[in-house]
Amino acid sequence: MTDKRRCTHQLYVSISLASLAAALPLEAQTRAPDTPAQAPSAAATVADPDAADDIVVTGFRAALTSALNQKRNETAAVDSIVAEDIGKFPDSNLAESMQRIPGVALSRGDGGEGRNISVRGLGAQFTRVRINGMEGVSQVSGTDIRGGVATGRSFDFVTFPTEIFSALSVRKTLSADVEEGSLGATVDLRAPRPFDQKSDKDFVFSGTARGIYNDIRKQVDPRLSALVSKKFGDTFGILGSIAYSRRHIDEYAYSAVDVIPTTVYGLAQPSGTANAGVIFPFCTPVGYTYRGVAVNSPVPGYRQPNGTPIGADANNCSTNNPRTGTASAYDYIMSRTGVNGRPGGGVYLPRLPRPVKSSQDQQRLAGSLTLQWKPDDRTDISLDGLYSRFKVNRLDTMFDARSFGRAISNNGQPLTSVREIEVDDNGSLIHGLFDGVDLRSEMQDERFTSEFKQANLNIDHRFSDTVRLYGLVGINRSTLDVNRLQVAIDSNDTRNWSIDFRDNPDIPKIGYGIDTTNPALFQYGPPLATADQRGQLSNFIRRNTITSKTAELNGEWEAAPGFTLQAGGQYRTNEYVARERQLGTTTPLALPTGVSLASFTTVTKGVGSNLGGQLQDFVTIDPGRFRSAVGLDSYAYCSIECARGTYGGVSEKYSSGYLMVKFNTENTLPFALRGDAGVRYVHTRLDTYGPITTAAPAGSTYSSRFVISEVGRSYEDWLPSMNLALDITPDLIARASAARVMSRPSYGQLIPAGSANLVIQTASFSNPFLDPIRANTFDAALEWYFAPGSLISVAYFYKNIETYIQTTSRQVAFQDIGLPLSLLTGTQLSPNDLFTVQRSNNTPGGPLRGFEVNLQLPFRFLPGALSNFGALANFTRVRSDINYIISPTLSRTAPLVGLSPETASGTLYYEDDKFSIRSTVNYRGSFLTAVPSGSVDADSTSNASSIFVDASASYALTHNIKLIAEVTNITNETNRLTVDTVRRDPLYTAYFGRTYALAVNFQF
């Protein structure tokens, strides 16, 4: 489906939903203005400052009004979302809730569930998340296309259920009392406390049971939650919550892995020949001539770098692999030079074109426990505990045509014959037909558990009407355990392999020339002497741990009416530890006697039916049967001693203090100006250690080992800030803010480490000397609260990003990249082979500017039942200019990675005393995911634009029982990635289906 047709279809669906809601036979309701919010829970009485009468309002509308009142009273730019009722957040995912906040865009992960957010164009790595006042990091492991194992500071909201939180706030401008580390926003998540509930009840219970169904997996899963709160008089209370869910996910995708010119894995003619140095991408046809000279590539008698002959002669590319290509197809390729100027460089092919099926079994368990003591009106002491465990078993199966991603050292592309090929004017593949293609069925069985624990003690005491002291001490720990097994089986030199994008530009039709479900056509075992591979084996076991300890103390002194001095200090430590062990051998061993591929293979099904019939079901490895068949439990693992995996860590110590003034001239000057101004000082001490690969001592079992490199450094920052809010009229507020902000590099970037991937000839190095990303920011806004519960606002924001962190790459001979030549032992590579070397570096930044418009409008002005309708809408436009280093001699100005130029959200809702329904449409414009792309001759990779439509409804059977229905991704939107901004070659297209939920909620 083209983008135009896709958007039109989704617009029709959205309009239909809105029309359906408007056409519902509704009973007229008379509703008076709302009354003031006493606490984050919207179940409390809510009041609007302009209301003439008081009335209890609950549900979605009350939650909106409560959040609006909080926004109105803040001096900084803060947007909030509060629970509709105790234990009932507006959405099933925290990140999905935040989509309705202006400037917030959602990134979706496995199964289409919201994973993390970007704020005003700045991605998840620039957003700090605090839980009950403490900064926290939640980690997950994802497929390679989604970032692999987490090593950064970003927060994955998928690990936490909404039911254990009562409110969240997105702070877009900072004040001196807010801890540093955020370039985009600070998100505060708060669990409920006993005295948040302002009702007269001493005991409160809320429970919800959901059944969840996805139309691809076609299985019903449970989601259960409960909250109990008990107050003992007016001084002590206890609140506990628990939430459990299980979800089964099937996701189907086409993946290219990479798109590269044919010259990357081609073979240069040897010196001393007429075409010396010319790269011939494929096996040349029989009798082929180029520029009037006969050419045979590979040349007859060609030997691998270790001296092994591959069986090439005038009629065969290799043993039992005849030259079947056509001269016309070969000439077609060589006539296109592309941006690199090389013959054949203007034809771009997917590196590993393949169907992908990802199946998951997710289990999420979380809970909170709070003890709150309020001995008098001046003292509030609470002890908060929070726990979350997100456990995932994921099985990914892929079926690759791997010849296009391998050099001759792996018997790859130069041994493939091309019979037919066509590309468009930009060099993007339209269709092709090939022989001698190596096929590979890959299985990745990953089991990971993300666990988060936090405990913190909060004390708040007023010594008098003018003096207040408050602070907290706490500790949290995020642990990610990953066990990933990867196994592959091969079928080499297959004929009649075809690929065709003419029917669908996102998902090609692929023909394999063999029965892809027959295990007898595949092999597993050690490579042959000719370098033909017969499968692959790898397994790693990893643990990442992030431990954060915080102690802070703050004091306030109201020196004069409307003028308060505030000061405080904080000492915080973060410790990141990464440990990974891998199999001591990555070479498949011969199968035990009596074991065949049929002993541990099965068939991946559903590929054809879920990808439009373009791709085929295929044979794959059953991980449990494989482990048993080969005796995997007896295999040896290693790390430092064999230079595999990782062994590193980062220790950070932050000492900070601040001083600021808060003021309000409402009672002292003719105009009401509220605000704060101050400065924060922070000293950062950084100690890192990490693995560098080196040659092993003589007599060692392995050819190379790790040596541990240590780096220590420190730096300091002065961070002034100011927030102003001018009440022009009682309903019109003008805001202005300015601040200096900083965001630290990810942990993975700081660990001193270097390694190489010999299969795809890449190397990567981190950089412990990276400086933080720093920026000066300015914000201005105008907010008109023109009616009770209503708002129209416009905001402008500007960030001058002084420094940025980029991963730059260049082509370097292996012998020059700083790793030992012993790594090449036993491979077909030579020291002169070129590797793409990547390294993280500080580079100049650039400006970011934009504006956002926000509307919140209950339709109280309409007659009868129509007054129960309401709408939310926002639009954000952002522009940035970052100078990216593409190569040592080439740079490019482009938007910030992760920045969508436009985002928008719209919600139409109806709510009366019993019935509520709403539908939300979220649009996110396309955004860059990497610059440079990491692909040869491609400037970037991008995530395509998307429109997601969700809806939910509820009906109160009684005062205590409510029925709930929800549906997400109504239009069956996909996740689409492309490479290169001109060609836009399809890189990844995934379908995860629609999800439905039915629930019942009980409250007593």
Side-chain angles (χ1 to χ4, degrees):
M1 184 181 293
T2 65
D3 288 343
K4 182 176 180 181
R5 288 173 57 200
R6 184 191 308 272
C7 294
T8 302
H9 170 70
Q10 293 169 333
L11 181 60
Y12 286 159
V13 174
S14 304
I15 293 173
S16 299
L17 285 170
S19 301
L20 175 63
L24 288 171
L26 305 174
E27 180 180 356
Q29 303 289 327
T30 301
R31 184 179 299 276
D34 300 331
T35 55
Q38 303 297 323
S41 173
T45 299
V46 177
D48 192 282
D50 299 323
D53 302 305
D54 290 342
I55 189 170
V56 173
V57 180
T58 62
F60 185 65
R61 186 188 295 243
L64 295 176
T65 302
S66 178
L68 199 65
N69 291 340
Q70 293 183 33
K71 177 180 179 66
R72 186 171 187 167
N73 294 328
E74 290 279 356
T75 57
V78 180
D79 290 285
S80 301
I81 297 176
V82 300
E84 297 180 31
D85 212 330
I86 184 169
K88 174 63 174 72
F89 219 72
D91 301 276
S92 59
N93 180 282
L94 292 167
E96 291 168 3
S97 287
M98 283 184 277
Q99 290 182 105
R100 292 197 299 272
I101 292 177
V104 176
L106 176 65
S107 295
R108 295 179 182 264
D110 299 327
E113 189 171 1
R115 180 172 172 180
N116 44 48
I117 63 169
S118 67
V119 181
R120 290 179 167 178
L122 293 164
Q125 69 271 30
F126 302 118
T127 299
R128 298 276 67 78
V129 175
R130 300 191 298 186
I131 302 175
N132 292 336
M134 278 191 64
E135 181 179 336
V137 174
S138 108
Q139 311 172 79
V140 300
S141 177
T143 55
D144 292 339
I145 202 74
R146 293 195 171 110
V149 178
T151 60
R153 302 175 191 266
S154 60
F155 191 93
D156 284 285
F157 291 92
V158 70
T159 61
F160 285 91
T162 61
E163 291 89 344
I164 65 172
F165 296 103
S166 61
L168 66 83
S169 297
V170 179
R171 181 179 295 270
K172 300 175 185 175
T173 64
L174 296 185
S175 52
D177 60 332
V178 177
E179 61 193 83
E180 76 293 333
S182 165
L183 200 67
T186 297
V187 176
D188 280 297
L189 304 179
R190 184 183 168 191
R193 292 177 176 171
F195 287 96
D196 288 347
Q197 318 307 320
K198 297 301 181 180
S199 67
D200 296 331
K201 295 181 179 179
D202 289 333
F203 177 81
V204 175
F205 170 82
S206 176
T208 303
R210 275 183 174 84
I212 301 173
Y213 176 86
N214 180 269
D215 62 3
I216 289 182
R217 183 60 182 251
K218 294 179 171 57
Q219 181 173 342
V220 178
D221 293 317
R223 179 167 178 162
L224 309 171
S225 64
L227 180 148
V228 178
S229 178
K230 173 65 176 176
K231 290 185 287 190
F232 300 88
D234 296 328
T235 60
F236 182 75
I238 182 170
L239 185 148
S241 68
I242 189 168
Y244 170 81
S245 65
R246 186 166 189 174
R247 188 180 179 195
H248 293 86
I249 296 172
D250 278 350
E251 184 172 315
Y252 292 88
Y254 162 74
S255 174
V257 178
D258 198 355
V259 179
I260 50 179
T262 61
T263 51
V264 171
Y265 291 111
L267 178 63
Q269 280 291 95
S271 59
T273 63
N275 289 301
V278 175
I279 296 176
F280 288 90
F282 295 100
C283 178
T284 52
V286 175
Y288 183 68
T289 60
Y290 182 70
R291 295 175 179 171
V293 178
V295 174
N296 273 305
S297 180
V299 297
Y302 178 87
R303 292 175 178 269
Q304 295 285 20
N306 65 354
T308 301
I310 64 172
D313 57 34
N315 295 307
N316 294 277
C317 308
S318 58
T319 302
N320 297 322
N321 179 21
R323 300 177 187 265
T324 59
T326 63
S328 59
Y330 217 105
D331 286 339
Y332 182 87
I333 293 172
M334 300 299 285
S335 67
R336 296 175 178 267
T337 55
V339 298
N340 59 28
R342 289 183 175 273
V347 173
Y348 298 87
L349 301 181
R351 188 171 76 84
L352 293 174
R354 62 192 188 181
V356 179
K357 180 181 180 181
S358 179
S359 297
Q360 292 192 35
D361 179 1
Q362 298 180 352
Q363 294 187 68
R364 186 164 45 199
L365 175 66
S368 68
L369 180 65
T370 297
L371 307 178
Q372 189 174 10
W373 182 42
K374 300 183 71 172
D376 53 50
D377 292 340
R378 295 179 178 270
T379 306
D380 190 343
I381 300 174
S382 64
L383 178 64
D384 299 310
L386 187 141
Y387 173 82
S388 178
R389 186 192 70 197
F390 184 56
K391 185 177 181 180
V392 176
N393 292 341
R394 182 176 61 229
L395 179 64
D396 295 336
T397 54
M398 296 78 75
F399 198 73
D400 312 339
R402 66 185 184 92
S403 291
F404 305 99
R406 299 290 186 268
I408 197 169
S409 57
N410 282 291
N411 283 5
Q413 185 177 286
L415 305 187
T416 300
S417 296
V418 54
R419 290 161 52 189
E420 298 177 11
I421 192 167
E422 181 184 2
V423 299
D424 64 17
D425 291 341
N426 294 319
S428 299
L429 181 65
I430 297 175
H431 72 93
L433 177 63
F434 304 85
D435 288 334
V437 176
D438 296 339
L439 303 181
R440 167 168 285 180
S441 177
E442 292 188 61
M443 176 278 294
Q444 178 174 292
D445 177 46
E446 179 171 273
R447 304 172 186 181
F448 75 83
T449 300
S450 176
E451 189 175 61
F452 183 89
K453 303 175 184 177
Q454 177 171 309
N456 54 284
L457 176 67
N458 301 268
I459 300 177
D460 190 338
H461 179 69
R462 286 192 174 275
F463 292 92
S464 67
D465 291 340
T466 59
V467 178
R468 175 190 176 204
L469 197 67
Y470 61 98
L472 68 83
V473 292
I475 180 172
N476 61 42
R477 174 170 294 173
S478 173
T479 303
L480 176 65
D481 287 298
V482 183
N483 187 324
R484 180 183 291 181
L485 170 67
Q486 293 174 291
V487 185
I489 55 177
D490 290 338
S491 180
N492 295 323
D493 297 332
T494 62
R495 300 169 61 82
N496 296 310
W497 186 88
S498 63
I499 182 168
D500 193 336
F501 285 95
R502 285 175 291 192
D503 291 339
N504 188 327
D506 295 323
I507 303 177
K509 187 177 183 65
I510 298 180
Y512 296 94
I514 64 170
D515 180 359
T516 57
T517 64
N518 184 1
L521 301 179
F522 292 80
Q523 302 177 71
Y524 178 85
L528 299 177
T530 59
D532 273 343
Q533 292 184 330
R534 297 188 299 161
Q536 182 182 7
L537 172 65
S538 68
N539 189 195
F540 71 75
I541 301 171
R542 183 181 181 114
R543 166 169 280 199
N544 290 355
T545 303
I546 302 174
T547 304
S548 180
K549 301 176 182 178
T550 301
E552 68 172 55
L553 187 64
N554 307 274
E556 289 183 1
W557 173 45
E558 187 177 358
F563 185 84
T564 300
L565 288 174
Q566 182 174 329
Q570 183 188 76
Y571 179 75
R572 182 159 54 96
T573 64
N574 279 359
E575 184 174 9
Y576 171 82
V577 177
R579 298 288 186 270
E580 181 182 304
R581 296 180 297 123
Q582 294 187 3
L583 281 176
T585 177
T586 58
T587 301
L589 303 181
L591 293 175
T593 303
V595 174
S596 68
L597 265 65
S599 304
F600 56 81
T601 56
T602 183
V603 174
T604 292
K605 298 180 179 179
V607 175
S609 58
N610 286 283
L611 293 176
Q614 299 291 95
L615 302 169
Q616 301 175 25
D617 296 350
F618 52 88
V619 64
T620 193
I621 299 95
D622 181 290
R625 291 163 59 193
F626 174 82
R627 291 174 185 271
S628 175
V630 304
L632 189 64
D633 292 343
S634 65
Y635 282 36
Y637 290 78
C638 59
S639 178
I640 294 178
E641 66 274 25
C642 65
R644 294 198 180 105
T646 192
Y647 188 98
V650 177
S651 177
E652 295 172 315
K653 297 179 176 65
Y654 316 120
S655 302
S656 62
Y658 73 92
L659 177 66
M660 76 175 192
V661 296
K662 298 190 295 186
F663 51 87
N664 188 338
T665 67
E666 181 179 11
N667 297 320
T668 56
L669 294 177
F671 55 89
L673 178 65
R674 299 174 284 124
D676 61 72
V679 62
R680 184 178 190 89
Y681 167 80
V682 57
H683 179 272
T684 302
R685 172 65 193 181
L686 181 70
D687 293 288
T688 69
Y689 63 94
I692 302 295
T693 305
T694 187
S700 298
T701 303
Y702 303 100
S703 60
S704 57
R705 68 184 304 272
F706 282 147
V707 294
I708 304 303
S709 172
E710 297 182 357
V711 176
R713 58 186 291 243
S714 62
Y715 54 87
E716 60 184 23
D717 287 273
W718 290 90
L719 306 171
S721 61
M722 179 181 66
N723 295 282
L724 301 175
L726 176 63
D727 296 330
I728 300 174
T729 71
D731 299 323
L732 188 64
I733 301 175
R735 300 182 187 272
S737 302
R740 181 167 178 80
V741 297
M742 56 91 83
S743 180
R744 297 182 176 92
S746 71
Y747 296 116
Q749 291 173 318
L750 291 172
I751 290 178
S755 62
N757 186 320
L758 304 182
V759 176
I760 59 176
Q761 297 177 210
T762 62
S764 61
F765 293 85
S766 53
N767 187 354
F769 295 99
L770 289 173
D771 286 328
I773 297 176
R774 299 182 173 96
N776 296 317
T777 69
F778 173 77
D779 294 74
L782 192 63
E783 301 169 358
W784 181 28
Y785 299 84
F786 58 91
S790 304
L791 168 68
I792 294 178
S793 67
V794 60
Y796 170 81
F797 49 91
Y798 175 83
K799 300 179 188 292
N800 180 25
I801 303 173
E802 296 178 353
T803 59
Y804 191 60
I805 296 174
Q806 296 181 43
T807 300
T808 57
S809 62
R810 60 194 182 104
Q811 294 282 307
V812 180
F814 184 86
Q815 62 189 6
D816 298 325
I817 64 177
L819 296 177
L821 296 180
S822 60
L823 293 178
L824 303 183
T825 302
T827 73
Q828 308 297 331
L829 296 169
S830 70
N832 294 319
D833 284 336
L834 293 178
F835 275 60
T836 301
V837 179
Q838 297 183 327
R839 181 182 174 89
S840 298
N841 294 290
N842 283 109
T843 58
L848 180 149
R849 60 181 68 84
F851 70 88
E852 59 189 32
V853 181
N854 187 26
L855 169 69
Q856 183 168 318
L857 179 63
F859 294 168
R860 292 189 179 92
F861 52 88
L862 294 178
L866 295 177
S867 65
N868 297 324
F869 279 94
L872 311 172
N874 64 73
F875 172 80
T876 303
R877 179 174 179 175
V878 190
R879 296 292 185 269
S880 69
D881 297 299
I882 299 294
N883 188 39
Y884 292 97
I885 310 301
I886 305 299
S887 70
T889 60
L890 181 65
S891 64
R892 177 197 172 203
T893 300
L896 192 69
V897 167
L899 181 150
S900 291
E902 287 87 24
T903 59
S905 175
T907 299
L908 178 65
Y909 67 88
Y910 169 88
E911 187 174 60
D912 60 29
D913 291 341
K914 286 185 173 293
F915 181 71
S916 174
I917 185 171
R918 63 179 179 267
S919 178
T920 299
V921 180
N922 286 286
Y923 168 78
R924 181 175 187 181
S926 63
F927 57 94
L928 301 176
T929 58
V931 180
S933 66
S935 303
V936 177
D937 294 345
D939 56 5
S940 61
T941 57
S942 302
N943 200 301
S945 61
S946 61
I947 300 177
F948 282 87
V949 183
D950 306 323
S952 65
S954 66
Y955 181 78
L957 291 176
T958 69
H959 182 69
N960 303 110
I961 302 175
K962 181 184 294 185
L963 299 179
I964 303 168
E966 300 164 334
V967 57
T968 58
N969 194 21
I970 293 173
T971 56
N972 198 24
E973 179 64 285
T974 61
N975 183 32
R976 295 177 297 133
L977 305 180
T978 61
V979 61
D980 196 75
T981 53
V982 175
R983 303 194 316 268
R984 296 187 179 181
D985 290 323
L987 190 64
Y988 184 77
T989 302
Y991 291 82
F992 37 79
R994 304 170 182 84
T995 301
Y996 306 87
L998 289 176
V1000 58
N1001 171 256
F1002 302 90
Q1003 289 197 26
F1004 301 97

